[in-house]
Amino acid sequence: MAAAGPIERKVTWATAAAYLTSSGLLGVLAAAQDNARILEPMPDSISPLVLSLIPGLITLAAGWKARHTPRPDLGQR
């Protein structure tokens, strides 16, 4: 299925948020290797779950906040 128009702003912002959040999280994890106290407040069994949810939640927030791109080429339904 071919793209029918430009990429919507919501998708662009959500993609950028996912990339930046994942990159930032990798930086935090790299720092945590040398300083394990960063993750001490979380139990060992929960910390991977919490860390994996962070990029998704920020992506969701960026997609929710961005406005839809007008698509006059779709017409009225």
Short mmCIF file of all heavy atoms in Angstrom, two decimals:
data_model
loop_
_atom_site.label_atom_id
_atom_site.label_comp_id
_atom_site.label_asym_id
_atom_site.label_seq_id
_atom_site.Cartn_x
_atom_site.Cartn_y
_atom_site.Cartn_z
N MET A 1 0.85 -1.17 0.00
CA MET A 1 0.00 0.00 0.00
C MET A 1 0.90 1.24 0.00
O MET A 1 1.72 1.42 0.88
CB MET A 1 -0.89 -0.03 1.23
CG MET A 1 -1.87 1.08 1.29
SD MET A 1 -2.97 0.70 2.68
CE MET A 1 -4.05 2.04 2.56
N ALA A 2 0.74 2.09 -0.97
CA ALA A 2 1.57 3.29 -1.10
C ALA A 2 1.04 4.41 -0.21
O ALA A 2 -0.15 4.46 0.10
CB ALA A 2 1.59 3.75 -2.55
N ALA A 3 1.93 5.28 0.19
CA ALA A 3 1.54 6.43 1.00
C ALA A 3 0.65 7.35 0.17
O ALA A 3 0.90 7.59 -1.00
CB ALA A 3 2.76 7.18 1.48
N ALA A 4 -0.38 7.87 0.79
CA ALA A 4 -1.35 8.71 0.08
C ALA A 4 -1.06 10.19 0.23
O ALA A 4 -1.78 11.01 -0.30
CB ALA A 4 -2.75 8.40 0.58
N GLY A 5 -0.06 10.54 0.98
CA GLY A 5 0.23 11.96 1.19
C GLY A 5 1.43 12.12 2.10
O GLY A 5 2.16 11.18 2.37
N PRO A 6 1.61 13.34 2.59
CA PRO A 6 2.75 13.59 3.47
C PRO A 6 2.59 12.88 4.81
O PRO A 6 1.49 12.51 5.20
CB PRO A 6 2.72 15.11 3.66
CG PRO A 6 1.31 15.50 3.41
CD PRO A 6 0.78 14.53 2.39
N ILE A 7 3.70 12.68 5.47
CA ILE A 7 3.66 12.05 6.79
C ILE A 7 3.02 13.01 7.77
O ILE A 7 3.36 14.20 7.83
CB ILE A 7 5.08 11.68 7.25
CG1 ILE A 7 5.67 10.64 6.31
CG2 ILE A 7 5.06 11.15 8.69
CD1 ILE A 7 7.11 10.31 6.58
N GLU A 8 2.09 12.51 8.53
CA GLU A 8 1.36 13.35 9.47
C GLU A 8 2.27 13.84 10.60
O GLU A 8 3.19 13.14 11.02
CB GLU A 8 0.19 12.56 10.05
CG GLU A 8 -0.78 13.41 10.81
CD GLU A 8 -2.07 12.68 11.14
OE1 GLU A 8 -2.33 11.62 10.57
OE2 GLU A 8 -2.81 13.20 11.98
N ARG A 9 2.01 15.05 11.08
CA ARG A 9 2.82 15.64 12.15
C ARG A 9 2.85 14.75 13.38
O ARG A 9 3.87 14.64 14.05
CB ARG A 9 2.27 17.01 12.54
CG ARG A 9 2.69 18.10 11.61
CD ARG A 9 2.23 19.46 12.14
NE ARG A 9 1.84 20.26 11.01
CZ ARG A 9 0.70 20.89 10.88
NH1 ARG A 9 -0.19 20.85 11.85
NH2 ARG A 9 0.42 21.58 9.81
N LYS A 10 1.72 14.13 13.71
CA LYS A 10 1.66 13.27 14.88
C LYS A 10 2.68 12.14 14.79
O LYS A 10 3.34 11.81 15.76
CB LYS A 10 0.26 12.66 15.03
CG LYS A 10 -0.79 13.62 15.50
CD LYS A 10 -2.08 12.87 15.64
CE LYS A 10 -2.94 13.34 16.76
NZ LYS A 10 -2.39 13.65 18.01
N VAL A 11 2.80 11.55 13.62
CA VAL A 11 3.73 10.45 13.43
C VAL A 11 5.17 10.95 13.53
O VAL A 11 6.03 10.31 14.16
CB VAL A 11 3.49 9.76 12.06
CG1 VAL A 11 4.53 8.71 11.78
CG2 VAL A 11 2.08 9.18 12.01
N THR A 12 5.44 12.10 12.93
CA THR A 12 6.79 12.67 12.98
C THR A 12 7.20 12.98 14.41
O THR A 12 8.31 12.63 14.84
CB THR A 12 6.85 13.96 12.13
OG1 THR A 12 6.44 13.64 10.80
CG2 THR A 12 8.24 14.54 12.11
N TRP A 13 6.33 13.62 15.17
CA TRP A 13 6.66 13.98 16.55
C TRP A 13 6.80 12.75 17.44
O TRP A 13 7.68 12.67 18.29
CB TRP A 13 5.63 14.93 17.14
CG TRP A 13 5.86 16.33 16.69
CD1 TRP A 13 5.16 17.01 15.74
CD2 TRP A 13 6.89 17.21 17.14
NE1 TRP A 13 5.70 18.26 15.58
CE2 TRP A 13 6.75 18.42 16.43
CE3 TRP A 13 7.92 17.11 18.07
CZ2 TRP A 13 7.60 19.50 16.62
CZ3 TRP A 13 8.75 18.19 18.26
CH2 TRP A 13 8.59 19.36 17.54
N ALA A 14 5.92 11.77 17.25
CA ALA A 14 6.00 10.55 18.05
C ALA A 14 7.29 9.79 17.74
O ALA A 14 7.94 9.25 18.64
CB ALA A 14 4.78 9.66 17.80
N THR A 15 7.67 9.75 16.47
CA THR A 15 8.92 9.07 16.08
C THR A 15 10.13 9.77 16.68
O THR A 15 11.03 9.13 17.21
CB THR A 15 9.04 9.02 14.54
OG1 THR A 15 7.89 8.34 14.02
CG2 THR A 15 10.30 8.30 14.12
N ALA A 16 10.14 11.10 16.60
CA ALA A 16 11.25 11.87 17.17
C ALA A 16 11.32 11.65 18.69
O ALA A 16 12.41 11.48 19.25
CB ALA A 16 11.10 13.35 16.85
N ALA A 17 10.16 11.65 19.35
CA ALA A 17 10.14 11.44 20.80
C ALA A 17 10.66 10.05 21.16
O ALA A 17 11.41 9.89 22.12
CB ALA A 17 8.72 11.62 21.34
N ALA A 18 10.28 9.04 20.39
CA ALA A 18 10.76 7.69 20.66
C ALA A 18 12.27 7.60 20.50
O ALA A 18 12.96 6.99 21.32
CB ALA A 18 10.08 6.69 19.72
N TYR A 19 12.80 8.20 19.45
CA TYR A 19 14.25 8.17 19.21
C TYR A 19 15.00 8.88 20.33
O TYR A 19 15.96 8.34 20.89
CB TYR A 19 14.57 8.81 17.87
CG TYR A 19 16.05 8.95 17.65
CD1 TYR A 19 16.83 7.85 17.33
CD2 TYR A 19 16.67 10.18 17.78
CE1 TYR A 19 18.20 7.98 17.15
CE2 TYR A 19 18.04 10.32 17.60
CZ TYR A 19 18.80 9.22 17.28
OH TYR A 19 20.14 9.35 17.11
N LEU A 20 14.57 10.10 20.66
CA LEU A 20 15.27 10.88 21.68
C LEU A 20 15.17 10.23 23.05
O LEU A 20 16.15 10.20 23.81
CB LEU A 20 14.73 12.31 21.71
CG LEU A 20 15.01 13.15 20.47
CD1 LEU A 20 14.29 14.49 20.54
CD2 LEU A 20 16.51 13.35 20.29
N THR A 21 13.99 9.71 23.37
CA THR A 21 13.80 9.07 24.67
C THR A 21 14.65 7.80 24.78
O THR A 21 15.29 7.56 25.81
CB THR A 21 12.33 8.72 24.89
OG1 THR A 21 11.55 9.90 24.75
CG2 THR A 21 12.09 8.14 26.26
N SER A 22 14.65 7.01 23.73
CA SER A 22 15.46 5.79 23.75
C SER A 22 16.94 6.11 23.86
O SER A 22 17.68 5.45 24.61
CB SER A 22 15.21 4.95 22.49
OG SER A 22 13.87 4.53 22.46
N SER A 23 17.39 7.13 23.14
CA SER A 23 18.80 7.54 23.22
C SER A 23 19.13 8.03 24.62
O SER A 23 20.18 7.68 25.18
CB SER A 23 19.09 8.64 22.21
OG SER A 23 18.89 8.17 20.90
N GLY A 24 18.27 8.84 25.19
CA GLY A 24 18.49 9.33 26.55
C GLY A 24 18.49 8.22 27.57
O GLY A 24 19.30 8.20 28.50
N LEU A 25 17.57 7.27 27.38
CA LEU A 25 17.50 6.13 28.31
C LEU A 25 18.76 5.28 28.22
O LEU A 25 19.27 4.81 29.24
CB LEU A 25 16.26 5.30 28.02
CG LEU A 25 15.92 4.19 29.00
CD1 LEU A 25 15.76 4.74 30.40
CD2 LEU A 25 14.67 3.47 28.55
N LEU A 26 19.28 5.10 27.02
CA LEU A 26 20.54 4.36 26.87
C LEU A 26 21.69 5.09 27.58
O LEU A 26 22.56 4.45 28.18
CB LEU A 26 20.88 4.16 25.39
CG LEU A 26 20.02 3.13 24.67
CD1 LEU A 26 20.34 3.14 23.18
CD2 LEU A 26 20.22 1.75 25.26
N GLY A 27 21.68 6.43 27.52
CA GLY A 27 22.69 7.20 28.23
C GLY A 27 22.58 7.02 29.73
O GLY A 27 23.60 6.87 30.43
N VAL A 28 21.36 7.01 30.24
CA VAL A 28 21.14 6.80 31.67
C VAL A 28 21.60 5.40 32.08
O VAL A 28 22.23 5.21 33.12
CB VAL A 28 19.66 7.02 32.04
CG1 VAL A 28 19.35 6.54 33.45
CG2 VAL A 28 19.29 8.49 31.89
N LEU A 29 21.27 4.42 31.25
CA LEU A 29 21.68 3.05 31.57
C LEU A 29 23.20 2.89 31.54
O LEU A 29 23.77 2.15 32.34
CB LEU A 29 21.02 2.06 30.61
CG LEU A 29 19.51 1.90 30.81
CD1 LEU A 29 18.94 1.00 29.73
CD2 LEU A 29 19.18 1.38 32.18
N ALA A 30 23.84 3.57 30.60
CA ALA A 30 25.31 3.53 30.55
C ALA A 30 25.89 4.14 31.82
O ALA A 30 26.86 3.63 32.38
CB ALA A 30 25.81 4.27 29.32
N ALA A 31 25.29 5.23 32.29
CA ALA A 31 25.75 5.86 33.53
C ALA A 31 25.45 4.96 34.73
O ALA A 31 26.22 4.92 35.69
CB ALA A 31 25.09 7.22 33.71
N ALA A 32 24.33 4.23 34.66
CA ALA A 32 23.94 3.37 35.77
C ALA A 32 24.89 2.19 35.93
O ALA A 32 25.01 1.63 37.03
CB ALA A 32 22.52 2.87 35.58
N GLN A 33 25.55 1.80 34.86
CA GLN A 33 26.52 0.71 34.97
C GLN A 33 27.64 1.09 35.94
O GLN A 33 28.13 0.24 36.68
CB GLN A 33 27.13 0.39 33.61
CG GLN A 33 26.24 -0.41 32.71
CD GLN A 33 26.91 -0.74 31.40
OE1 GLN A 33 27.76 -0.01 30.92
NE2 GLN A 33 26.51 -1.84 30.80
N ASP A 34 28.02 2.36 35.91
CA ASP A 34 29.09 2.81 36.80
C ASP A 34 28.56 3.24 38.17
O ASP A 34 29.32 3.35 39.12
CB ASP A 34 29.84 3.98 36.15
CG ASP A 34 30.57 3.54 34.89
OD1 ASP A 34 30.93 2.35 34.80
OD2 ASP A 34 30.76 4.39 34.00
N ASN A 35 27.26 3.55 38.23
CA ASN A 35 26.68 4.05 39.47
C ASN A 35 25.33 3.37 39.67
O ASN A 35 24.29 3.90 39.29
CB ASN A 35 26.52 5.57 39.40
CG ASN A 35 26.05 6.15 40.71
OD1 ASN A 35 25.81 5.42 41.67
ND2 ASN A 35 25.89 7.45 40.76
N ALA A 36 25.31 2.21 40.26
CA ALA A 36 24.09 1.42 40.42
C ALA A 36 23.08 2.07 41.36
O ALA A 36 21.92 1.65 41.39
CB ALA A 36 24.44 0.02 40.91
N ARG A 37 23.49 3.08 42.09
CA ARG A 37 22.56 3.73 43.03
C ARG A 37 21.41 4.42 42.33
O ARG A 37 20.38 4.68 42.94
CB ARG A 37 23.31 4.72 43.92
CG ARG A 37 24.24 4.03 44.89
CD ARG A 37 24.95 5.02 45.74
NE ARG A 37 25.78 5.87 44.86
CZ ARG A 37 26.36 6.99 45.23
NH1 ARG A 37 26.23 7.41 46.47
NH2 ARG A 37 27.09 7.68 44.40
N ILE A 38 21.55 4.71 41.03
CA ILE A 38 20.47 5.38 40.28
C ILE A 38 19.22 4.51 40.27
O ILE A 38 18.10 5.02 40.36
CB ILE A 38 20.92 5.68 38.83
CG1 ILE A 38 22.05 6.70 38.84
CG2 ILE A 38 19.77 6.16 37.98
CD1 ILE A 38 22.69 6.94 37.49
N LEU A 39 19.39 3.21 40.17
CA LEU A 39 18.24 2.30 40.09
C LEU A 39 17.91 1.61 41.41
O LEU A 39 17.01 0.79 41.46
CB LEU A 39 18.52 1.24 39.01
CG LEU A 39 18.75 1.77 37.60
CD1 LEU A 39 19.13 0.64 36.66
CD2 LEU A 39 17.55 2.53 37.08
N GLU A 40 18.60 1.96 42.47
CA GLU A 40 18.37 1.31 43.76
C GLU A 40 16.94 1.43 44.30
O GLU A 40 16.45 0.47 44.90
CB GLU A 40 19.35 1.85 44.82
CG GLU A 40 20.65 1.12 44.85
CD GLU A 40 21.56 1.63 45.96
OE1 GLU A 40 21.09 2.37 46.85
OE2 GLU A 40 22.75 1.29 45.93
N PRO A 41 16.25 2.56 44.12
CA PRO A 41 14.90 2.65 44.69
C PRO A 41 13.92 1.63 44.11
O PRO A 41 12.92 1.31 44.73
CB PRO A 41 14.45 4.07 44.36
CG PRO A 41 15.70 4.83 44.11
CD PRO A 41 16.69 3.84 43.58
N MET A 42 14.19 1.12 42.92
CA MET A 42 13.29 0.15 42.29
C MET A 42 13.77 -1.27 42.57
O MET A 42 14.97 -1.54 42.51
CB MET A 42 13.26 0.36 40.78
CG MET A 42 12.54 1.59 40.33
SD MET A 42 12.37 1.63 38.54
CE MET A 42 13.95 2.31 38.09
N PRO A 43 12.82 -2.18 42.83
CA PRO A 43 13.21 -3.59 42.96
C PRO A 43 13.78 -4.11 41.64
O PRO A 43 13.39 -3.66 40.56
CB PRO A 43 11.89 -4.31 43.29
CG PRO A 43 10.97 -3.23 43.75
CD PRO A 43 11.42 -1.96 43.10
N ASP A 44 14.69 -5.08 41.71
CA ASP A 44 15.34 -5.61 40.52
C ASP A 44 14.35 -6.18 39.51
O ASP A 44 14.56 -6.09 38.30
CB ASP A 44 16.35 -6.70 40.89
CG ASP A 44 17.57 -6.12 41.60
OD1 ASP A 44 17.80 -4.90 41.48
OD2 ASP A 44 18.26 -6.88 42.28
N SER A 45 13.26 -6.75 39.98
CA SER A 45 12.30 -7.37 39.07
C SER A 45 11.44 -6.33 38.34
O SER A 45 10.90 -6.61 37.27
CB SER A 45 11.39 -8.33 39.83
OG SER A 45 10.69 -7.63 40.85
N ILE A 46 11.31 -5.14 38.89
CA ILE A 46 10.45 -4.11 38.29
C ILE A 46 11.23 -3.12 37.43
O ILE A 46 10.68 -2.57 36.48
CB ILE A 46 9.68 -3.36 39.41
CG1 ILE A 46 8.72 -4.33 40.08
CG2 ILE A 46 8.93 -2.17 38.87
CD1 ILE A 46 7.97 -3.74 41.23
N SER A 47 12.49 -2.90 37.71
CA SER A 47 13.24 -1.87 36.99
C SER A 47 13.27 -2.07 35.48
O SER A 47 13.10 -1.09 34.74
CB SER A 47 14.65 -1.71 37.55
OG SER A 47 15.38 -2.89 37.46
N PRO A 48 13.44 -3.29 34.92
CA PRO A 48 13.39 -3.41 33.45
C PRO A 48 12.04 -3.02 32.87
O PRO A 48 11.96 -2.39 31.81
CB PRO A 48 13.69 -4.88 33.18
CG PRO A 48 14.34 -5.37 34.41
CD PRO A 48 13.79 -4.55 35.53
N LEU A 49 10.97 -3.36 33.57
CA LEU A 49 9.63 -3.01 33.10
C LEU A 49 9.45 -1.50 33.07
O LEU A 49 8.97 -0.93 32.09
CB LEU A 49 8.57 -3.66 34.00
CG LEU A 49 7.12 -3.28 33.69
CD1 LEU A 49 6.73 -3.79 32.32
CD2 LEU A 49 6.20 -3.81 34.76
N VAL A 50 9.83 -0.84 34.15
CA VAL A 50 9.69 0.62 34.23
C VAL A 50 10.55 1.30 33.17
O VAL A 50 10.09 2.21 32.48
CB VAL A 50 10.06 1.11 35.65
CG1 VAL A 50 10.13 2.63 35.70
CG2 VAL A 50 9.05 0.61 36.66
N LEU A 51 11.78 0.85 33.01
CA LEU A 51 12.68 1.45 32.04
C LEU A 51 12.18 1.25 30.61
O LEU A 51 12.35 2.12 29.76
CB LEU A 51 14.09 0.90 32.19
CG LEU A 51 14.80 1.31 33.47
CD1 LEU A 51 16.12 0.57 33.60
CD2 LEU A 51 15.01 2.81 33.53
N SER A 52 11.53 0.13 30.34
CA SER A 52 11.03 -0.10 28.98
C SER A 52 9.75 0.68 28.71
O SER A 52 9.42 0.95 27.55
CB SER A 52 10.79 -1.60 28.75
OG SER A 52 9.75 -2.07 29.58
N LEU A 53 9.02 1.07 29.74
CA LEU A 53 7.79 1.85 29.55
C LEU A 53 8.05 3.33 29.26
O LEU A 53 7.23 3.99 28.64
CB LEU A 53 6.90 1.74 30.79
CG LEU A 53 6.19 0.41 30.99
CD1 LEU A 53 5.44 0.42 32.32
CD2 LEU A 53 5.25 0.11 29.86
N ILE A 54 9.18 3.85 29.70
CA ILE A 54 9.47 5.29 29.57
C ILE A 54 9.41 5.77 28.12
O ILE A 54 8.69 6.72 27.82
CB ILE A 54 10.80 5.64 30.25
CG1 ILE A 54 10.68 5.45 31.76
CG2 ILE A 54 11.23 7.07 29.93
CD1 ILE A 54 11.99 5.55 32.51
N PRO A 55 10.13 5.15 27.17
CA PRO A 55 10.03 5.63 25.78
C PRO A 55 8.62 5.56 25.21
O PRO A 55 8.17 6.47 24.51
CB PRO A 55 10.98 4.71 25.00
CG PRO A 55 11.92 4.18 26.01
CD PRO A 55 11.13 4.08 27.28
N GLY A 56 7.91 4.50 25.53
CA GLY A 56 6.53 4.36 25.04
C GLY A 56 5.61 5.43 25.57
O GLY A 56 4.78 5.98 24.83
N LEU A 57 5.73 5.76 26.84
CA LEU A 57 4.88 6.80 27.43
C LEU A 57 5.19 8.18 26.85
O LEU A 57 4.28 8.97 26.59
CB LEU A 57 5.03 6.80 28.95
CG LEU A 57 4.45 5.58 29.66
CD1 LEU A 57 4.80 5.62 31.14
CD2 LEU A 57 2.96 5.50 29.45
N ILE A 58 6.46 8.46 26.64
CA ILE A 58 6.81 9.76 26.06
C ILE A 58 6.38 9.83 24.60
O ILE A 58 5.92 10.86 24.13
CB ILE A 58 8.31 10.05 26.25
CG1 ILE A 58 8.55 10.25 27.76
CG2 ILE A 58 8.75 11.26 25.45
CD1 ILE A 58 9.96 10.50 28.14
N THR A 59 6.47 8.71 23.88
CA THR A 59 5.99 8.66 22.50
C THR A 59 4.48 8.88 22.46
O THR A 59 3.96 9.63 21.62
CB THR A 59 6.34 7.30 21.87
OG1 THR A 59 7.75 7.14 21.90
CG2 THR A 59 5.84 7.22 20.45
N LEU A 60 3.76 8.24 23.36
CA LEU A 60 2.31 8.43 23.44
C LEU A 60 1.96 9.88 23.72
O LEU A 60 1.08 10.46 23.07
CB LEU A 60 1.73 7.53 24.54
CG LEU A 60 0.25 7.74 24.85
CD1 LEU A 60 -0.60 7.22 23.71
CD2 LEU A 60 -0.11 7.06 26.15
N ALA A 61 2.66 10.51 24.65
CA ALA A 61 2.40 11.91 24.99
C ALA A 61 2.68 12.83 23.80
O ALA A 61 1.90 13.75 23.53
CB ALA A 61 3.23 12.32 26.20
N ALA A 62 3.78 12.58 23.08
CA ALA A 62 4.11 13.42 21.92
C ALA A 62 3.07 13.26 20.82
O ALA A 62 2.64 14.24 20.20
CB ALA A 62 5.49 13.07 21.38
N GLY A 63 2.62 12.05 20.56
CA GLY A 63 1.60 11.81 19.55
C GLY A 63 0.26 12.40 19.95
O GLY A 63 -0.49 12.91 19.11
N TRP A 64 -0.07 12.35 21.22
CA TRP A 64 -1.34 12.91 21.70
C TRP A 64 -1.32 14.43 21.62
O TRP A 64 -2.32 15.06 21.26
CB TRP A 64 -1.58 12.44 23.14
CG TRP A 64 -2.83 12.98 23.73
CD1 TRP A 64 -4.10 12.56 23.49
CD2 TRP A 64 -2.92 14.07 24.67
NE1 TRP A 64 -4.98 13.32 24.23
CE2 TRP A 64 -4.28 14.24 24.96
CE3 TRP A 64 -1.98 14.89 25.28
CZ2 TRP A 64 -4.72 15.21 25.84
CZ3 TRP A 64 -2.42 15.85 26.16
CH2 TRP A 64 -3.79 16.00 26.43
N LYS A 65 -0.20 15.04 21.94
CA LYS A 65 -0.09 16.50 21.98
C LYS A 65 -0.05 17.12 20.59
O LYS A 65 -0.59 18.20 20.37
CB LYS A 65 1.17 16.87 22.76
CG LYS A 65 1.39 18.35 22.92
CD LYS A 65 0.40 18.95 23.87
CE LYS A 65 0.75 20.41 24.11
NZ LYS A 65 -0.40 21.20 24.43
N ALA A 66 0.59 16.47 19.63
CA ALA A 66 0.71 17.04 18.28
C ALA A 66 -0.64 17.05 17.58
O ALA A 66 -1.46 16.15 17.76
CB ALA A 66 1.71 16.23 17.46
N ARG A 67 -0.86 18.08 16.78
CA ARG A 67 -2.12 18.19 16.04
C ARG A 67 -2.08 17.31 14.80
O ARG A 67 -1.03 17.02 14.26
CB ARG A 67 -2.35 19.63 15.61
CG ARG A 67 -2.57 20.56 16.78
CD ARG A 67 -2.77 21.98 16.24
NE ARG A 67 -2.99 22.88 17.33
CZ ARG A 67 -4.18 23.39 17.63
NH1 ARG A 67 -5.22 23.09 16.90
NH2 ARG A 67 -4.32 24.20 18.65
N HIS A 68 -3.26 16.96 14.34
CA HIS A 68 -3.37 16.22 13.08
C HIS A 68 -2.99 17.12 11.92
O HIS A 68 -3.22 18.33 11.95
CB HIS A 68 -4.80 15.73 12.85
CG HIS A 68 -5.13 14.48 13.59
ND1 HIS A 68 -4.68 13.25 13.19
CD2 HIS A 68 -5.87 14.27 14.69
CE1 HIS A 68 -5.14 12.32 14.03
NE2 HIS A 68 -5.85 12.92 14.95
N THR A 69 -2.41 16.53 10.89
CA THR A 69 -2.12 17.26 9.66
C THR A 69 -3.39 17.32 8.83
O THR A 69 -4.03 16.29 8.60
CB THR A 69 -1.02 16.54 8.86
OG1 THR A 69 0.13 16.42 9.68
CG2 THR A 69 -0.67 17.28 7.60
N PRO A 70 -3.80 18.52 8.39
CA PRO A 70 -5.00 18.60 7.54
C PRO A 70 -4.81 17.78 6.27
O PRO A 70 -3.76 17.80 5.66
CB PRO A 70 -5.11 20.09 7.21
CG PRO A 70 -4.29 20.78 8.25
CD PRO A 70 -3.22 19.82 8.65
N ARG A 71 -5.84 17.05 5.88
CA ARG A 71 -5.77 16.21 4.68
C ARG A 71 -6.96 16.51 3.77
O ARG A 71 -7.92 15.74 3.68
CB ARG A 71 -5.80 14.73 5.08
CG ARG A 71 -4.60 14.25 5.87
CD ARG A 71 -3.35 14.13 5.03
NE ARG A 71 -3.54 13.36 3.83
CZ ARG A 71 -3.30 12.07 3.72
NH1 ARG A 71 -2.84 11.40 4.76
NH2 ARG A 71 -3.49 11.43 2.59
N PRO A 72 -6.92 17.66 3.07
CA PRO A 72 -8.05 17.99 2.19
C PRO A 72 -8.20 17.01 1.03
O PRO A 72 -9.27 16.90 0.45
CB PRO A 72 -7.69 19.39 1.67
CG PRO A 72 -6.23 19.54 1.87
CD PRO A 72 -5.87 18.64 3.03
N ASP A 73 -7.14 16.26 0.70
CA ASP A 73 -7.20 15.31 -0.40
C ASP A 73 -8.09 14.10 -0.09
O ASP A 73 -8.50 13.37 -0.97
CB ASP A 73 -5.80 14.83 -0.79
CG ASP A 73 -5.07 14.17 0.36
OD1 ASP A 73 -5.12 14.72 1.48
OD2 ASP A 73 -4.45 13.12 0.15
N LEU A 74 -8.43 13.91 1.18
CA LEU A 74 -9.29 12.78 1.56
C LEU A 74 -10.77 13.10 1.36
O LEU A 74 -11.59 12.19 1.31
CB LEU A 74 -9.03 12.38 3.01
CG LEU A 74 -7.67 11.79 3.30
CD1 LEU A 74 -7.55 11.46 4.78
CD2 LEU A 74 -7.42 10.56 2.46
N GLY A 75 -11.11 14.37 1.29
CA GLY A 75 -12.50 14.76 1.12
C GLY A 75 -13.32 14.49 2.38
O GLY A 75 -12.81 14.11 3.41
N GLN A 76 -14.59 14.69 2.25
CA GLN A 76 -15.50 14.48 3.38
C GLN A 76 -16.08 13.08 3.30
O GLN A 76 -16.34 12.56 2.24
CB GLN A 76 -16.60 15.52 3.34
CG GLN A 76 -16.05 16.92 3.43
CD GLN A 76 -16.85 17.74 4.37
OE1 GLN A 76 -17.88 17.30 4.87
NE2 GLN A 76 -16.39 18.94 4.64
N ARG A 77 -16.28 12.50 4.44
CA ARG A 77 -16.87 11.15 4.51
C ARG A 77 -18.31 11.22 4.86
O ARG A 77 -18.80 11.96 5.55
CB ARG A 77 -16.11 10.30 5.52
CG ARG A 77 -14.74 9.99 5.06
CD ARG A 77 -14.07 9.10 6.04
NE ARG A 77 -12.73 8.85 5.57
CZ ARG A 77 -11.94 7.97 6.09
NH1 ARG A 77 -12.34 7.24 7.10
NH2 ARG A 77 -10.75 7.79 5.64
#
